[in-house]
Short mmCIF file of all heavy atoms in Angstrom, two decimals:
data_model
loop_
_atom_site.label_atom_id
_atom_site.label_comp_id
_atom_site.label_asym_id
_atom_site.label_seq_id
_atom_site.Cartn_x
_atom_site.Cartn_y
_atom_site.Cartn_z
N MET A 1 21.59 -71.88 -12.44
CA MET A 1 20.39 -71.10 -12.61
C MET A 1 19.17 -71.82 -12.06
O MET A 1 18.24 -71.21 -11.60
CB MET A 1 20.19 -70.76 -14.08
CG MET A 1 18.97 -69.88 -14.29
SD MET A 1 18.90 -69.06 -15.87
CE MET A 1 18.11 -70.32 -16.85
N LEU A 2 19.17 -73.12 -12.08
CA LEU A 2 18.01 -73.85 -11.59
C LEU A 2 18.06 -74.10 -10.09
O LEU A 2 17.18 -74.74 -9.54
CB LEU A 2 17.87 -75.18 -12.33
CG LEU A 2 17.52 -75.04 -13.81
CD1 LEU A 2 17.41 -76.41 -14.47
CD2 LEU A 2 16.23 -74.26 -14.01
N ASP A 3 19.07 -73.53 -9.43
CA ASP A 3 19.16 -73.65 -7.98
C ASP A 3 17.93 -73.05 -7.31
O ASP A 3 17.44 -73.58 -6.33
CB ASP A 3 20.43 -72.96 -7.49
CG ASP A 3 20.63 -73.14 -6.00
OD1 ASP A 3 20.55 -74.30 -5.54
OD2 ASP A 3 20.86 -72.14 -5.32
N TRP A 4 17.40 -71.96 -7.85
CA TRP A 4 16.21 -71.33 -7.29
C TRP A 4 15.02 -72.26 -7.38
O TRP A 4 14.19 -72.30 -6.48
CB TRP A 4 15.90 -70.00 -7.99
CG TRP A 4 15.57 -70.13 -9.45
CD1 TRP A 4 16.44 -70.11 -10.48
CD2 TRP A 4 14.28 -70.31 -10.01
NE1 TRP A 4 15.78 -70.26 -11.67
CE2 TRP A 4 14.44 -70.39 -11.41
CE3 TRP A 4 13.00 -70.41 -9.48
CZ2 TRP A 4 13.38 -70.56 -12.28
CZ3 TRP A 4 11.93 -70.58 -10.36
CH2 TRP A 4 12.13 -70.66 -11.75
N LEU A 5 14.93 -73.05 -8.45
CA LEU A 5 13.83 -73.98 -8.61
C LEU A 5 13.93 -75.10 -7.58
O LEU A 5 12.92 -75.50 -6.98
CB LEU A 5 13.85 -74.56 -10.02
CG LEU A 5 12.60 -75.24 -10.52
CD1 LEU A 5 11.39 -74.34 -10.39
CD2 LEU A 5 12.78 -75.66 -11.96
N SER A 6 15.13 -75.54 -7.32
CA SER A 6 15.35 -76.55 -6.30
C SER A 6 14.97 -76.02 -4.92
O SER A 6 14.33 -76.73 -4.13
CB SER A 6 16.81 -76.99 -6.31
OG SER A 6 17.06 -77.90 -5.27
N LYS A 7 15.35 -74.77 -4.63
CA LYS A 7 15.01 -74.18 -3.34
C LYS A 7 13.51 -73.99 -3.19
O LYS A 7 12.95 -74.20 -2.12
CB LYS A 7 15.74 -72.85 -3.17
CG LYS A 7 17.22 -73.01 -2.95
CD LYS A 7 17.90 -71.68 -2.80
CE LYS A 7 19.39 -71.86 -2.63
NZ LYS A 7 20.08 -70.58 -2.52
N LEU A 8 12.85 -73.59 -4.28
CA LEU A 8 11.40 -73.44 -4.24
C LEU A 8 10.73 -74.78 -4.00
O LEU A 8 9.79 -74.90 -3.23
CB LEU A 8 10.90 -72.79 -5.53
CG LEU A 8 9.43 -72.44 -5.57
CD1 LEU A 8 9.09 -71.43 -4.49
CD2 LEU A 8 9.08 -71.86 -6.94
N ASN A 9 11.24 -75.82 -4.63
CA ASN A 9 10.72 -77.16 -4.44
C ASN A 9 10.90 -77.61 -2.99
O ASN A 9 9.99 -78.19 -2.39
CB ASN A 9 11.40 -78.14 -5.39
CG ASN A 9 10.81 -79.53 -5.30
OD1 ASN A 9 9.60 -79.71 -5.43
ND2 ASN A 9 11.65 -80.51 -5.06
N ASP A 10 12.07 -77.33 -2.44
CA ASP A 10 12.32 -77.68 -1.03
C ASP A 10 11.31 -76.98 -0.12
O ASP A 10 10.78 -77.58 0.81
CB ASP A 10 13.73 -77.29 -0.62
CG ASP A 10 14.79 -78.16 -1.27
OD1 ASP A 10 14.44 -79.23 -1.81
OD2 ASP A 10 15.97 -77.76 -1.24
N ALA A 11 11.06 -75.70 -0.40
CA ALA A 11 10.11 -74.95 0.42
C ALA A 11 8.70 -75.51 0.28
O ALA A 11 7.95 -75.59 1.25
CB ALA A 11 10.14 -73.47 0.04
N ALA A 12 8.33 -75.90 -0.92
CA ALA A 12 7.00 -76.46 -1.16
C ALA A 12 6.83 -77.82 -0.47
O ALA A 12 5.73 -78.16 -0.04
CB ALA A 12 6.74 -76.60 -2.65
N ASN A 13 7.90 -78.57 -0.36
CA ASN A 13 7.84 -79.89 0.28
C ASN A 13 7.99 -79.83 1.79
O ASN A 13 7.82 -80.83 2.47
CB ASN A 13 8.93 -80.81 -0.30
CG ASN A 13 8.60 -81.25 -1.70
OD1 ASN A 13 7.44 -81.38 -2.06
ND2 ASN A 13 9.62 -81.45 -2.51
N ALA A 14 8.28 -78.65 2.30
CA ALA A 14 8.53 -78.48 3.74
C ALA A 14 7.37 -78.96 4.63
O ALA A 14 7.63 -79.47 5.72
CB ALA A 14 8.88 -77.04 4.06
N PRO A 15 6.10 -78.82 4.21
CA PRO A 15 5.02 -79.28 5.10
C PRO A 15 5.14 -80.76 5.47
O PRO A 15 4.68 -81.18 6.53
CB PRO A 15 3.75 -79.01 4.31
CG PRO A 15 4.10 -77.89 3.41
CD PRO A 15 5.56 -78.12 3.05
N ARG A 16 5.75 -81.55 4.63
CA ARG A 16 5.94 -82.97 4.94
C ARG A 16 6.92 -83.16 6.09
O ARG A 16 6.98 -84.21 6.69
CB ARG A 16 6.48 -83.71 3.72
CG ARG A 16 5.51 -83.82 2.60
CD ARG A 16 6.10 -84.62 1.48
NE ARG A 16 5.16 -84.70 0.38
CZ ARG A 16 5.44 -85.22 -0.78
NH1 ARG A 16 6.64 -85.70 -1.01
NH2 ARG A 16 4.55 -85.26 -1.72
N HIS A 17 7.69 -82.11 6.33
CA HIS A 17 8.72 -82.18 7.36
C HIS A 17 8.51 -81.08 8.39
O HIS A 17 9.47 -80.44 8.83
CB HIS A 17 10.10 -82.05 6.71
CG HIS A 17 10.31 -83.00 5.58
ND1 HIS A 17 10.54 -84.33 5.78
CD2 HIS A 17 10.26 -82.81 4.24
CE1 HIS A 17 10.65 -84.93 4.60
NE2 HIS A 17 10.48 -84.03 3.66
N GLU A 18 7.27 -80.87 8.78
CA GLU A 18 6.92 -79.78 9.69
C GLU A 18 7.68 -79.87 11.01
O GLU A 18 7.92 -78.85 11.65
CB GLU A 18 5.42 -79.77 9.96
CG GLU A 18 4.62 -79.30 8.78
CD GLU A 18 3.13 -79.35 9.05
OE1 GLU A 18 2.71 -80.02 10.01
OE2 GLU A 18 2.38 -78.74 8.30
N HIS A 19 8.06 -81.06 11.40
CA HIS A 19 8.78 -81.20 12.65
C HIS A 19 10.15 -80.53 12.62
O HIS A 19 10.74 -80.28 13.65
CB HIS A 19 8.93 -82.69 13.00
CG HIS A 19 9.69 -83.45 11.95
ND1 HIS A 19 9.12 -83.86 10.77
CD2 HIS A 19 10.97 -83.86 11.91
CE1 HIS A 19 10.03 -84.50 10.04
NE2 HIS A 19 11.16 -84.52 10.71
N ARG A 20 10.65 -80.22 11.42
CA ARG A 20 11.97 -79.60 11.30
C ARG A 20 11.91 -78.08 11.23
O ARG A 20 12.89 -77.41 11.49
CB ARG A 20 12.69 -80.13 10.08
CG ARG A 20 13.00 -81.62 10.20
CD ARG A 20 13.96 -82.07 9.16
NE ARG A 20 13.45 -81.83 7.81
CZ ARG A 20 13.99 -82.32 6.72
NH1 ARG A 20 15.06 -83.06 6.81
NH2 ARG A 20 13.49 -82.06 5.54
N LYS A 21 10.78 -77.51 10.82
CA LYS A 21 10.68 -76.06 10.66
C LYS A 21 9.40 -75.56 11.32
O LYS A 21 8.38 -76.23 11.31
CB LYS A 21 10.62 -75.68 9.19
CG LYS A 21 11.92 -75.65 8.48
CD LYS A 21 11.75 -75.00 7.13
CE LYS A 21 13.08 -74.71 6.49
NZ LYS A 21 12.94 -74.03 5.22
N THR A 22 9.47 -74.34 11.81
CA THR A 22 8.26 -73.72 12.33
C THR A 22 7.46 -73.14 11.16
O THR A 22 7.98 -72.97 10.06
CB THR A 22 8.60 -72.58 13.31
OG1 THR A 22 9.24 -71.54 12.58
CG2 THR A 22 9.49 -73.06 14.45
N THR A 23 6.21 -72.83 11.39
CA THR A 23 5.37 -72.23 10.34
C THR A 23 5.97 -70.92 9.87
O THR A 23 6.00 -70.63 8.68
CB THR A 23 3.94 -72.01 10.87
OG1 THR A 23 3.41 -73.27 11.26
CG2 THR A 23 3.05 -71.41 9.80
N SER A 24 6.48 -70.13 10.78
CA SER A 24 7.08 -68.85 10.43
C SER A 24 8.29 -69.05 9.53
O SER A 24 8.46 -68.33 8.54
CB SER A 24 7.50 -68.11 11.70
OG SER A 24 8.14 -66.91 11.38
N ASP A 25 9.15 -70.02 9.83
CA ASP A 25 10.32 -70.32 9.00
C ASP A 25 9.88 -70.75 7.60
O ASP A 25 10.46 -70.35 6.60
CB ASP A 25 11.17 -71.42 9.61
CG ASP A 25 11.89 -70.99 10.87
OD1 ASP A 25 12.06 -69.78 11.07
OD2 ASP A 25 12.28 -71.88 11.64
N PHE A 26 8.84 -71.59 7.54
CA PHE A 26 8.34 -72.08 6.26
C PHE A 26 7.82 -70.92 5.41
O PHE A 26 8.15 -70.79 4.24
CB PHE A 26 7.23 -73.10 6.49
CG PHE A 26 6.52 -73.50 5.22
CD1 PHE A 26 7.15 -74.28 4.28
CD2 PHE A 26 5.23 -73.07 4.98
CE1 PHE A 26 6.50 -74.64 3.11
CE2 PHE A 26 4.57 -73.42 3.82
CZ PHE A 26 5.21 -74.20 2.87
N GLU A 27 7.00 -70.06 6.02
CA GLU A 27 6.44 -68.92 5.29
C GLU A 27 7.54 -67.99 4.80
O GLU A 27 7.48 -67.50 3.67
CB GLU A 27 5.44 -68.16 6.17
CG GLU A 27 4.17 -68.94 6.41
CD GLU A 27 3.24 -68.27 7.41
OE1 GLU A 27 3.62 -67.22 7.98
OE2 GLU A 27 2.15 -68.81 7.62
N GLN A 28 8.53 -67.74 5.62
CA GLN A 28 9.64 -66.88 5.22
C GLN A 28 10.43 -67.52 4.07
O GLN A 28 10.84 -66.83 3.13
CB GLN A 28 10.58 -66.61 6.41
CG GLN A 28 11.77 -65.74 6.06
CD GLN A 28 11.37 -64.38 5.52
OE1 GLN A 28 10.38 -63.79 5.93
NE2 GLN A 28 12.13 -63.88 4.57
N SER A 29 10.63 -68.80 4.11
CA SER A 29 11.35 -69.50 3.06
C SER A 29 10.62 -69.41 1.72
O SER A 29 11.21 -69.12 0.69
CB SER A 29 11.57 -70.96 3.45
OG SER A 29 12.24 -71.65 2.46
N VAL A 30 9.32 -69.65 1.75
CA VAL A 30 8.52 -69.57 0.53
C VAL A 30 8.51 -68.14 0.01
O VAL A 30 8.69 -67.90 -1.18
CB VAL A 30 7.08 -70.08 0.77
CG1 VAL A 30 6.19 -69.77 -0.42
CG2 VAL A 30 7.08 -71.57 1.05
N ARG A 31 8.32 -67.16 0.89
CA ARG A 31 8.30 -65.75 0.48
C ARG A 31 9.63 -65.36 -0.15
O ARG A 31 9.67 -64.69 -1.18
CB ARG A 31 8.00 -64.87 1.69
CG ARG A 31 7.83 -63.41 1.33
CD ARG A 31 7.42 -62.55 2.53
NE ARG A 31 6.14 -62.98 3.06
CZ ARG A 31 5.96 -63.51 4.27
NH1 ARG A 31 6.99 -63.68 5.08
NH2 ARG A 31 4.76 -63.87 4.67
N SER A 32 10.72 -65.79 0.44
CA SER A 32 12.04 -65.47 -0.07
C SER A 32 12.25 -66.03 -1.48
O SER A 32 12.73 -65.34 -2.38
CB SER A 32 13.11 -66.02 0.88
OG SER A 32 14.38 -65.88 0.33
N GLN A 33 11.87 -67.29 -1.68
CA GLN A 33 12.04 -67.91 -2.99
C GLN A 33 11.10 -67.29 -4.03
O GLN A 33 11.48 -67.10 -5.18
CB GLN A 33 11.83 -69.43 -2.90
CG GLN A 33 12.88 -70.13 -2.08
CD GLN A 33 14.29 -69.81 -2.55
OE1 GLN A 33 14.58 -69.81 -3.74
NE2 GLN A 33 15.16 -69.50 -1.61
N PHE A 34 9.88 -66.98 -3.62
CA PHE A 34 8.92 -66.35 -4.52
C PHE A 34 9.45 -65.00 -4.98
O PHE A 34 9.39 -64.67 -6.16
CB PHE A 34 7.58 -66.20 -3.80
CG PHE A 34 6.47 -65.67 -4.66
CD1 PHE A 34 5.89 -66.46 -5.63
CD2 PHE A 34 6.00 -64.38 -4.48
CE1 PHE A 34 4.87 -65.97 -6.43
CE2 PHE A 34 4.98 -63.88 -5.26
CZ PHE A 34 4.41 -64.69 -6.24
N ASN A 35 9.99 -64.22 -4.04
CA ASN A 35 10.57 -62.92 -4.38
C ASN A 35 11.73 -63.07 -5.33
O ASN A 35 11.92 -62.26 -6.24
CB ASN A 35 11.00 -62.18 -3.12
CG ASN A 35 9.84 -61.66 -2.31
OD1 ASN A 35 8.70 -61.61 -2.78
ND2 ASN A 35 10.09 -61.31 -1.06
N ARG A 36 12.53 -64.10 -5.15
CA ARG A 36 13.67 -64.35 -6.04
C ARG A 36 13.20 -64.65 -7.45
O ARG A 36 13.77 -64.18 -8.43
CB ARG A 36 14.50 -65.52 -5.49
CG ARG A 36 15.62 -65.97 -6.39
CD ARG A 36 16.93 -65.29 -6.04
NE ARG A 36 18.01 -65.91 -6.76
CZ ARG A 36 18.58 -65.38 -7.85
NH1 ARG A 36 18.18 -64.23 -8.30
NH2 ARG A 36 19.54 -66.01 -8.47
N VAL A 37 12.14 -65.43 -7.58
CA VAL A 37 11.60 -65.76 -8.91
C VAL A 37 11.09 -64.50 -9.59
O VAL A 37 11.37 -64.25 -10.76
CB VAL A 37 10.49 -66.82 -8.81
CG1 VAL A 37 9.77 -66.99 -10.14
CG2 VAL A 37 11.06 -68.16 -8.36
N LEU A 38 10.35 -63.67 -8.86
CA LEU A 38 9.77 -62.46 -9.44
C LEU A 38 10.76 -61.32 -9.59
O LEU A 38 10.54 -60.40 -10.37
CB LEU A 38 8.58 -62.00 -8.61
CG LEU A 38 7.38 -62.93 -8.60
CD1 LEU A 38 6.27 -62.33 -7.76
CD2 LEU A 38 6.89 -63.22 -10.00
N GLY A 39 11.83 -61.33 -8.80
CA GLY A 39 12.81 -60.28 -8.88
C GLY A 39 12.58 -59.15 -7.89
O GLY A 39 12.94 -58.02 -8.15
N VAL A 40 11.97 -59.45 -6.78
CA VAL A 40 11.74 -58.43 -5.75
C VAL A 40 13.05 -58.23 -4.99
O VAL A 40 13.51 -59.12 -4.29
CB VAL A 40 10.62 -58.86 -4.78
CG1 VAL A 40 10.44 -57.84 -3.67
CG2 VAL A 40 9.31 -59.08 -5.54
N GLY A 41 13.68 -57.08 -5.19
CA GLY A 41 14.93 -56.77 -4.53
C GLY A 41 16.16 -57.39 -5.16
O GLY A 41 17.25 -57.33 -4.59
N CYS A 42 16.01 -58.00 -6.33
CA CYS A 42 17.14 -58.64 -7.00
C CYS A 42 16.79 -58.88 -8.47
O CYS A 42 15.67 -58.63 -8.89
CB CYS A 42 17.49 -59.96 -6.33
SG CYS A 42 16.17 -61.19 -6.44
N GLN A 43 17.75 -59.38 -9.23
CA GLN A 43 17.48 -59.78 -10.61
C GLN A 43 16.62 -61.03 -10.56
O GLN A 43 17.01 -62.03 -9.99
CB GLN A 43 18.79 -60.08 -11.35
CG GLN A 43 18.63 -60.70 -12.72
CD GLN A 43 18.16 -59.72 -13.78
OE1 GLN A 43 18.32 -58.53 -13.64
NE2 GLN A 43 17.58 -60.23 -14.83
N GLY A 44 15.44 -60.98 -11.11
CA GLY A 44 14.51 -62.10 -11.02
C GLY A 44 14.81 -63.23 -12.00
O GLY A 44 15.38 -63.02 -13.07
N MET A 45 14.42 -64.42 -11.59
CA MET A 45 14.62 -65.58 -12.45
C MET A 45 13.76 -65.49 -13.72
O MET A 45 14.19 -65.92 -14.78
CB MET A 45 14.26 -66.86 -11.70
CG MET A 45 15.23 -67.22 -10.63
SD MET A 45 16.77 -67.68 -11.41
CE MET A 45 17.91 -67.06 -10.23
N LEU A 46 12.56 -64.93 -13.62
CA LEU A 46 11.72 -64.80 -14.81
C LEU A 46 12.40 -63.91 -15.84
O LEU A 46 12.39 -64.22 -17.04
CB LEU A 46 10.34 -64.25 -14.44
CG LEU A 46 9.45 -65.19 -13.65
CD1 LEU A 46 8.12 -64.50 -13.32
CD2 LEU A 46 9.19 -66.47 -14.40
N ALA A 47 13.00 -62.82 -15.39
CA ALA A 47 13.72 -61.92 -16.31
C ALA A 47 14.90 -62.66 -16.95
O ALA A 47 15.15 -62.49 -18.14
CB ALA A 47 14.20 -60.68 -15.57
N GLU A 48 15.59 -63.46 -16.17
CA GLU A 48 16.72 -64.23 -16.72
C GLU A 48 16.24 -65.23 -17.77
O GLU A 48 16.86 -65.39 -18.82
CB GLU A 48 17.46 -64.96 -15.60
CG GLU A 48 18.26 -64.04 -14.70
CD GLU A 48 19.02 -64.81 -13.64
OE1 GLU A 48 19.44 -65.96 -13.89
OE2 GLU A 48 19.20 -64.25 -12.54
N LEU A 49 15.14 -65.89 -17.49
CA LEU A 49 14.61 -66.86 -18.45
C LEU A 49 14.14 -66.18 -19.73
O LEU A 49 14.35 -66.69 -20.83
CB LEU A 49 13.46 -67.66 -17.82
CG LEU A 49 13.85 -68.62 -16.72
CD1 LEU A 49 12.61 -69.21 -16.06
CD2 LEU A 49 14.74 -69.74 -17.25
N LEU A 50 13.49 -65.03 -19.60
CA LEU A 50 13.01 -64.30 -20.78
C LEU A 50 14.17 -63.75 -21.61
O LEU A 50 14.01 -63.53 -22.81
CB LEU A 50 12.09 -63.17 -20.34
CG LEU A 50 10.74 -63.64 -19.79
CD1 LEU A 50 9.97 -62.44 -19.23
CD2 LEU A 50 9.92 -64.34 -20.85
N ALA A 51 15.31 -63.55 -21.00
CA ALA A 51 16.46 -62.99 -21.72
C ALA A 51 17.25 -64.05 -22.49
O ALA A 51 18.12 -63.71 -23.28
CB ALA A 51 17.39 -62.29 -20.73
N ILE A 52 16.92 -65.31 -22.30
CA ILE A 52 17.65 -66.38 -23.00
C ILE A 52 17.31 -66.32 -24.48
O ILE A 52 16.15 -66.32 -24.88
CB ILE A 52 17.29 -67.76 -22.43
CG1 ILE A 52 17.77 -67.86 -20.98
CG2 ILE A 52 17.90 -68.88 -23.29
CD1 ILE A 52 17.33 -69.14 -20.29
N GLU A 53 18.34 -66.24 -25.28
CA GLU A 53 18.18 -66.20 -26.73
C GLU A 53 18.20 -67.61 -27.30
O GLU A 53 19.02 -68.44 -26.88
CB GLU A 53 19.33 -65.40 -27.36
CG GLU A 53 19.36 -63.95 -26.94
CD GLU A 53 18.26 -63.13 -27.61
OE1 GLU A 53 17.85 -63.48 -28.71
OE2 GLU A 53 17.83 -62.15 -26.97
N PRO A 54 17.31 -67.92 -28.22
CA PRO A 54 17.34 -69.24 -28.85
C PRO A 54 18.62 -69.39 -29.68
O PRO A 54 19.13 -68.42 -30.22
CB PRO A 54 16.11 -69.27 -29.73
CG PRO A 54 15.70 -67.86 -29.89
CD PRO A 54 16.24 -67.09 -28.74
N THR A 55 19.12 -70.60 -29.72
CA THR A 55 20.33 -70.86 -30.50
C THR A 55 20.00 -71.74 -31.68
O THR A 55 19.08 -72.57 -31.63
CB THR A 55 21.41 -71.55 -29.64
OG1 THR A 55 20.87 -72.78 -29.16
CG2 THR A 55 21.82 -70.69 -28.47
N ASP A 56 20.73 -71.56 -32.76
CA ASP A 56 20.57 -72.43 -33.93
C ASP A 56 21.40 -73.68 -33.70
O ASP A 56 22.54 -73.61 -33.29
CB ASP A 56 21.06 -71.72 -35.20
CG ASP A 56 20.19 -70.52 -35.53
OD1 ASP A 56 19.01 -70.54 -35.16
OD2 ASP A 56 20.70 -69.59 -36.16
N ARG A 57 20.82 -74.78 -33.99
CA ARG A 57 21.56 -76.04 -33.81
C ARG A 57 21.74 -76.71 -35.12
O ARG A 57 21.05 -76.81 -35.98
CB ARG A 57 20.81 -76.96 -32.86
CG ARG A 57 20.91 -76.43 -31.46
CD ARG A 57 20.40 -77.45 -30.51
NE ARG A 57 20.56 -76.92 -29.17
CZ ARG A 57 20.51 -77.64 -28.10
NH1 ARG A 57 20.32 -78.93 -28.17
NH2 ARG A 57 20.64 -77.12 -26.92
#
């Protein structure tokens, strides 16, 4: 489930490695991950997090 967070982090760190990606690729990567978090066109990560039920320990 935290794979999306890792991908978002990679996209955020991409400017440090501009020589590897074009600006267009970077923007598309960030947009894609942002949409995944919000649930644009898919089950969003925020909805998944809100659906987690607390457990008694």
